[in-house]
Amino acid sequence: MSTRPRFLLGAVLTAVPLLVALLGPLIAEQGARGPAFTQGENWLAGTDSEGRDVLTQLLLGGRSLVLVATAAVLLTYLIAVPWGVTAATSRRRVIDESLMRPLDLLLSLPSMLLLLLVVALTEANPFVLAATVAVLQFPDSARLIRASALHAAHTPAMEALRLQCETWWRRNLGYLGRALLPVVAADAGLRFVGAIYLVASASFLGLTADSTGTDWAVMIDRNRSGIALVPWGVVLPAVTIIALAMGVNLLFDAGARAATREFSPRSSR
């Protein structure tokens, strides 16, 4: 699939869940509860395990999942980019080793167990949840950024910038930033999918950051026992999560391809 169809498909798959997540609470109405797992008058209606309207819960359940995952990804790169660039551009091996070796310890930790422990101790605080997900994803991103920046940091162009006494910002953000942009764009899609997976898994196991107590992952968990009666209580949130993950990944992948063509040596000819 070429870049343009990939971008368009990703935009559509991303836009629908995002609109539901961000605008859903503005248009949803909390109605009275009725019997659990009852069919409504149309194919999209019905009640969940607690007698609440499925469509209403779908509109209310996405905002926390999307915001926490997005905050986690942003925090990941806020830490990983300067960490990896500093390690790659350092001329002293001891600095490189002291920055990268602790990441091996973080990689050895069981991510889901650590996430559940931290979130349970903090009562599913959304800020703590986002920070924990960011810490769990930070080692992989930092190692990737270091590996990608290592070659560019020792090229003749970088040496010329040093000889010209260019500032650290000019060298590492201006020159290295352009070289790292395709890598970060490609990795960001995977990081967002990973963040969605971790946040949804914690919610699925009962540790949700949603103040209403019901996000899309919780809907799947609570309504799976009545999937034969009201399948939309499970199908709709599951499809929404999958579409969001696929759409964001396709968008970032298309962006990475475009950035690669833009900053490749052939593009300047």
Side-chain angles (χ1 to χ4, degrees):
M1 184 184 297
S2 61
T3 301
R4 184 177 178 82
R6 187 186 300 266
F7 177 82
L8 293 176
L9 178 59
V12 172
L13 290 176
T14 303
V16 175
L18 280 183
L19 289 175
V20 172
L22 299 179
L23 301 181
L26 301 178
I27 61 178
E29 296 181 0
Q30 292 281 13
R33 298 189 181 185
F37 297 129
T38 57
Q39 293 283 357
E41 298 179 356
N42 57 71
W43 65 275
L44 197 57
T47 57
D48 63 5
S49 60
E50 299 182 7
R52 297 175 297 187
D53 182 66
V54 169
L55 183 58
T56 299
Q57 296 308 304
L58 181 72
L59 294 174
L60 292 173
R63 179 175 289 182
S64 65
L65 185 65
V66 171
L67 293 181
V68 170
T70 303
V73 173
L74 293 176
L75 185 58
T76 297
Y77 287 108
L78 188 63
I79 304 173
V81 171
W83 193 289
V85 169
T86 302
T89 56
S90 174
R91 296 193 169 191
R92 296 183 180 180
R93 185 175 180 82
V94 63
I95 297 179
D96 187 15
E97 291 290 331
S98 62
L99 287 174
M100 302 310 296
R101 291 290 75 81
L103 302 186
D104 296 336
L105 177 61
L106 289 176
L107 286 171
S108 66
L109 297 176
S111 58
M112 186 54 64
L113 180 61
L114 179 62
L115 177 66
L116 294 179
L117 177 62
V118 172
V119 174
L121 291 176
T122 58
E123 298 181 351
N125 184 285
F127 300 103
V128 176
L129 178 57
T132 305
V133 173
V135 169
L136 291 175
Q137 297 205 101
F138 154 67
D140 285 328
S141 294
R143 287 162 67 96
L144 177 64
I145 291 170
R146 175 196 174 271
S148 302
L150 197 58
H151 173 71
H154 298 89
T155 57
M158 179 62 79
E159 293 297 329
L161 291 175
R162 290 195 183 98
L163 292 175
Q164 294 172 6
C165 297
E166 294 288 352
T167 64
W168 185 93
W169 301 100
R170 168 71 174 168
R171 298 195 310 268
N172 296 319
L173 291 184
Y175 177 71
L176 278 184
R178 288 167 58 91
L180 290 175
L181 186 58
V183 176
V184 173
D187 184 61
L190 297 177
R191 294 299 144 221
F192 186 81
V193 173
I196 286 287
Y197 164 75
L198 290 173
V199 176
S201 297
S203 299
F204 187 82
L205 295 174
L207 300 173
T208 176
D210 195 325
S211 59
T212 65
T214 301
D215 63 24
W216 291 336
V218 175
M219 287 182 65
I220 298 172
D221 179 43
R222 291 181 177 176
N223 297 323
R224 56 182 175 171
S225 60
I227 189 171
L229 298 175
V230 185
W232 304 114
V234 175
V235 174
L236 286 178
V239 170
T240 306
I241 293 175
I242 293 172
L244 179 62
M246 290 180 58
V248 170
N249 203 23
L250 286 172
L251 277 179
F252 278 106
D253 184 63
R257 289 169 180 262
T260 301
R261 289 197 303 269
E262 178 70 20
F263 299 126
S264 63
R266 292 182 179 180
S267 63
S268 61
R269 294 180 182 178

